[in-house]
Amino acid sequence: MSDLWTVTEHDFDPTRQRHKETVFTIGNGYLSTRGAFEEGYPRDHRATFIHGVFDAVPIVVTELANAPDWLPLTVYLNGERFSLDTGVIEAFTRSLDLRTGVLTRTIRWRSPGGMGASLVFERFTALADEHLAYIRCSVTPDFAGEIEFRAALYGASDNEGAAHWLRVAQGAHAIPDGPLPIAALQTRTRSSAIDWAGAVRLVATAGRRSGHGYWDADNAPTLTLRMKAVPGKVVQVEKCVAQFTSRDLAADLVRAAAVTRASEAPGWKAALTAQTRAWAAEWARTDVVIEGDEEAQIAMRFNLFQMLIAAPRHDDRVNIGAKTLSGFGYRGHAFWDTEIFMLPLFTYTAPEIARNLLNYRYHNLPAARAKARGNGVEGAQFPWESADTGEEVTPTWVPHFADRNKLVRIWTGDIEIHISADIAYAAYQYWRATGDDAWFAEKGAELILDTAKFWGSRAEWNADEERYEYRDVIGPDEYHEHVDNNAYTNRLAQWNLETAFEVLTWLRALAPDRAAALEQQLDLSEERLAHWRDVADRMHLHVGETGLIEQFDGYFRRQDVDLAAMEPRTRSAQEIFGIEGCNETQVLKQPDVLMLQYLLRDHYSDDQIRANYAYYNPRTDHTFGSSLGPSIQAIVACIMGEPDDAYEHFIRAARADLRDVRGNAGDGIHGASAAGTWQAVVFGFGGLRITPEGWTVTPRLPRHWTRLAFSFFHRGQQHRVDLRPEGA
Ligand code: IFM
């Protein structure tokens, strides 16, 4: 049996580097580093992203600044620089150990001048101390002479051209009794003025040293170690880097903190022991065991690993971007992807992480209120794309996907308003799953009440039809813009309003002071509450007699397209029909109505879901539409008793980044898809349902799975589910 905890490649393919850098991203919830090589490679997309370190940039407002580079470790064999774009690669293997987060690269290389060596690079970012990162390099030469290691911090990282950093200071700091100093660098983002400081320590752990030095290279302080090369004898060095930002400490303290931490940090072996222990604790609550399907097992663990390394453990002022911390895509901005796709994973396996993410929204309520005010409405309207301040950061114009000289107006920041209900929904789910009443009274209730205030205020009365409506919106299916009465939006808004009454009743009974304070602060007058009741009761909902829900006003009158007849396709429906053309068809980017029925599962019968599944499934652009769709589609297919369809959708989501299914994994991990696979397995194949009375499972395993096991927390207690096919 192959190792089900490792992602491995055995070839070096320079054309796939951008994709592979994403796949081999490592991190620890504070920062993530793409899998670029220590020695660099032409046109690599090396990047480290640190949560919350945003900086201004034209058009897209703000982006996570690619942090100063801690990776550089170059190796010289008798003066020849080791590099994969020169010489001969005689063997190459790279593997990511998901169990411990250690990335290992083993190369057998011959230099242009004929020096041969085996090189092993290992690296990890410490989970036990999020400010530390390690690289260990072992070289076994087949020649005699000298091997030199140069370990640098590189301050001039950029975001694919956009420069964010200005050097503040650099220098060497002696360590008492240490042969080599610590080299340190401090830089500052140009506009947000966030200071970053790094300090590097380099030590030899095998072989004989022949010299060492410090180079005060501008913006790249470098430590060097020269070692005797003896054929067949391994030489080994360890690079340890400590990093802090002025988000952690006052700016004038960050450099000293980095220097102290680097000089006191444990060596590789002790740090790896702590790392292994810390990851074991993570996996004890998060792992999902799948037997009978090795690809699904590895993909599942890979997706969970990617979510775990992006999850902020000690910071509740940051969110997880749509591309996690693993790429430049979407600039580190967070979307509804967090609340609807990622939150359930954390709510049920690591509730304190879920709480941090919800607190991020709570802290950003002032910005959400300002956005609502700016649009002439009341309450909290959360931004479609969110970064450090919680203001709207969706770019208004972006280059057209087919013609980069043409600009396309992006409307999502203006009218994709369902995100406010998504956040309320996630807060409520967290509360119900954890029983965290203290948090809910203090923060969660306000999220739900203030978003309800937004929905009450944004609703428009249609006197002719005698109903409330939300006009000119975009639903989750972004192939259709400027629609009226998107079913997902209207129904979740109604849910938000109705839930606000439940919340108020609870608060008044159990936290009356808090209830009174919120009633006053949010102006929850009798009149306002009566209006909410009216809006909720007379919301336009589109439910037809058969249970089929029209996705928005006039959807059924749009051009019907036989997507199946267009297979095999190599392009998305939007590329084929054009942005405006696609808007006129019934083709969906993601299954809007099914998503709604999944979220409000208890409000729909199986027959109602079946009617919508039958209609919308064939009209959804599963292959090239949104990466968010397949995991939810898999769950709905499970509910419908369609195991083969369910598996097809699940495996598409599970493979999204490992196999670069959409061709854009180089931009970063599809976070919603990765976390969505956990929902597909637990709520879909496992059939877990949480009810007010407790929980139940209705297993619906894919035919070839022989076991599915997972754990989850419910109201503070961990439960373990272990399922095998019937009769097994
Ligand atoms: O939030 C999603 C959206 O639903 C579809 N486009 C990409 C966004 C970020 O993942």
Side-chain angles (χ1 to χ4, degrees), residues 322 330 335-337 384 476 478 589-590 626 628:
Y330 291 124
F335 298 67
W336 72 314
D337 305 35
W384 178 243
E478 294 170 346
K589 183 174 173 184
Q590 55 183 305
S626 172
L628 280 62

Side-chain angles (χ1 to χ4, degrees), residues 234 298 324 347 399 434 490 524 540 577 598 708:
V234 67
I298 295 174
T324 66
T347 293
T434 59
N490 286 23
L524 304 184
H540 178 24
F577 296 106
Y598 164 57
L708 167 64

Side-chain angles (χ1 to χ4, degrees), residues 479 563 566-573 576 620-625:
Y479 279 175
L563 273 184
M566 291 167 66
E567 299 297 347
R569 264 186 311 133
T570 52
R571 295 182 302 154
S572 72
I576 294 169
T620 304
D621 188 357
H622 299 297
T623 328
F624 299 104

Side-chain angles (χ1 to χ4, degrees), residues 45-230:
H45 291 79
R46 49 199 310 110
T48 290
F49 295 108
I50 304 178
H51 265 310
V53 180
F54 281 94
D55 196 38
V57 64
I59 302 175
V60 290
V61 192
T62 189
E63 66 184 0
L64 272 182
N66 181 8
D69 191 5
W70 66 275
L71 285 184
L73 180 62
T74 45
V75 183
Y76 289 76
L77 309 179
N78 275 347
E80 286 189 275
R81 187 183 193 281
F82 161 69
S83 175
L84 293 180
D85 61 332
T86 60
V88 180
I89 304 168
E90 295 172 349
F92 177 95
T93 305
R94 182 157 51 160
S95 62
L96 173 59
D97 182 350
L98 303 167
R99 204 192 291 262
T100 58
V102 178
L103 178 63
T104 304
R105 181 168 55 119
T106 306
I107 314 112
R108 170 92 211 144
W109 185 72
R110 187 154 302 279
S111 73
M115 300 311 127
S118 296
L119 300 99
V120 182
F121 291 87
E122 300 160 279
R123 71 168 85 137
F124 67 89
T125 50
L127 192 60
D129 180 344
E130 60 188 20
H131 297 284
L132 291 178
Y134 289 82
I135 301 174
R136 181 165 76 167
C137 179
S138 315
V139 182
T140 312
D142 66 3
F143 59 89
E146 190 175 71
I147 300 173
E148 181 174 349
F149 297 89
R150 299 179 186 170
L153 294 172
Y154 180 64
S157 303
D158 63 25
N159 282 50
E160 301 184 306
H164 285 294
W165 297 96
L166 295 168
R167 192 178 64 95
V168 175
Q170 65 180 71
H173 302 255
I175 323 180
D177 304 327
L180 274 175
I182 298 275
L185 173 68
Q186 183 168 353
T187 59
R188 184 171 296 149
T189 53
R190 285 166 191 265
S191 114
S192 55
I194 298 175
D195 276 48
W196 172 94
V200 53
R201 184 182 78 189
L202 183 67
V203 291
T205 43
R208 272 185 46 219
R209 222 176 48 222
S210 52
H212 65 263
Y214 167 70
W215 297 346
D216 203 30
D218 205 22
N219 219 0
T222 305
L223 296 171
T224 66
L225 257 182
R226 292 193 304 283
M227 309 286 291
K228 290 253 180 276
V230 179

Side-chain angles (χ1 to χ4, degrees), residues 284-300:
R285 55 188 188 170
T286 320
D287 189 28
V288 170
V289 176
I290 296 169
E291 290 181 4
D293 187 342
E294 291 190 359
E295 183 189 4
Q297 174 66 89
I298 295 174
M300 190 71 228

Side-chain angles (χ1 to χ4, degrees), residues 236-539:
Q236 188 178 67
V237 298
E238 293 175 16
K239 176 181 184 182
C240 167
V241 177
Q243 305 179 55
F244 286 87
T245 78
S246 55
R247 294 190 68 257
D248 313 313
L249 295 165
D252 56 352
L253 298 179
V254 287
R255 191 145 50 101
V259 170
T260 308
R261 188 64 63 92
S263 60
E264 291 174 356
W268 171 277
K269 273 199 185 131
L272 183 59
T273 304
Q275 171 85 345
T276 307
R277 201 175 300 128
W279 270 103
E282 292 293 313
W283 285 117
R285 55 188 188 170
T286 320
D287 189 28
V288 170
V289 176
I290 296 169
E291 290 181 4
D293 187 342
E294 291 190 359
E295 183 189 4
Q297 174 66 89
I298 295 174
M300 190 71 228
R301 288 187 172 137
F302 171 77
N303 287 326
L304 291 172
F305 175 83
Q306 289 296 339
M307 293 320 299
L308 289 171
I309 66 173
R313 288 164 181 73
H314 309 294
D315 192 343
D316 71 355
R317 303 254 170 190
V318 296
N319 201 328
I320 302 177
K323 300 287 184 185
T324 66
L325 291 174
S326 60
F328 294 94
Y330 291 124
R331 318 271 175 169
H333 297 178
F335 298 67
W336 72 314
D337 305 35
T338 302
E339 281 72 22
I340 297 300
F341 297 85
M342 304 178 193
L343 245 294
L345 162 67
F346 297 122
T347 293
Y348 287 104
T349 63
E352 73 288 353
I353 293 175
R355 194 175 52 227
N356 280 346
L357 292 166
L358 288 165
N359 283 353
Y360 163 88
R361 296 296 190 181
Y362 177 80
H363 294 311
N364 285 328
L365 269 170
R369 288 174 185 137
K371 179 170 166 93
R373 263 197 317 276
N375 287 334
V377 288
E378 295 178 294
Q381 179 182 5
F382 281 96
W384 178 243
E385 293 186 31
S386 191
D388 46 353
T389 62
E391 290 159 305
E392 183 61 74
V393 291
T394 305
T396 318
W397 296 90
V398 298
H400 191 280
F401 54 76
D403 176 359
R404 308 301 286 175
N405 295 319
K406 210 169 119 189
L407 287 178
V408 177
R409 176 71 164 88
I410 299 297
W411 290 103
T412 50
D414 305 73
I415 56 175
E416 193 156 355
I417 59 176
H418 63 82
I419 187 163
S420 295
D422 301 328
I423 290 168
Y425 180 88
Y428 183 83
Q429 295 301 320
Y430 167 82
W431 176 43
R432 284 303 181 206
T434 59
D436 189 349
D437 290 348
W439 176 85
F440 192 73
E442 195 195 325
K443 299 198 171 85
E446 192 171 339
L447 283 170
I448 292 175
L449 292 170
D450 217 6
T451 45
K453 188 170 167 183
F454 163 70
W455 292 116
S457 167
R458 173 66 160 78
E460 292 174 65
W461 175 244
N462 180 335
D464 293 340
E465 303 290 342
E466 298 200 334
R467 65 191 187 200
Y468 285 96
E469 304 188 335
Y470 295 106
R471 300 191 199 123
D472 191 20
V473 302
I474 301 176
D477 161 33
E478 294 170 346
Y479 279 175
H480 295 97
E481 298 183 332
H482 300 294
V483 303
D484 292 339
N485 296 309
N486 167 259
Y488 178 101
T489 306
N490 286 23
R491 179 66 184 92
L492 270 200
Q494 183 192 50
W495 173 90
N496 201 157
L497 289 162
E498 282 167 348
T499 305
F501 288 106
E502 180 188 335
V503 167
L504 258 187
T505 307
W506 181 86
L507 272 181
R508 283 173 179 156
L510 282 118
D513 291 349
R514 182 68 181 138
L518 282 175
E519 282 170 48
Q520 200 192 14
Q521 181 198 329
L522 303 179
D523 183 25
L524 304 184
S525 60
E526 283 308 312
E527 198 188 350
R528 186 185 299 279
L529 296 183
H531 176 62
W532 288 5
R533 185 76 276 155
D534 197 33
V535 175
D537 287 348
R538 296 201 275 174
M539 178 70 67

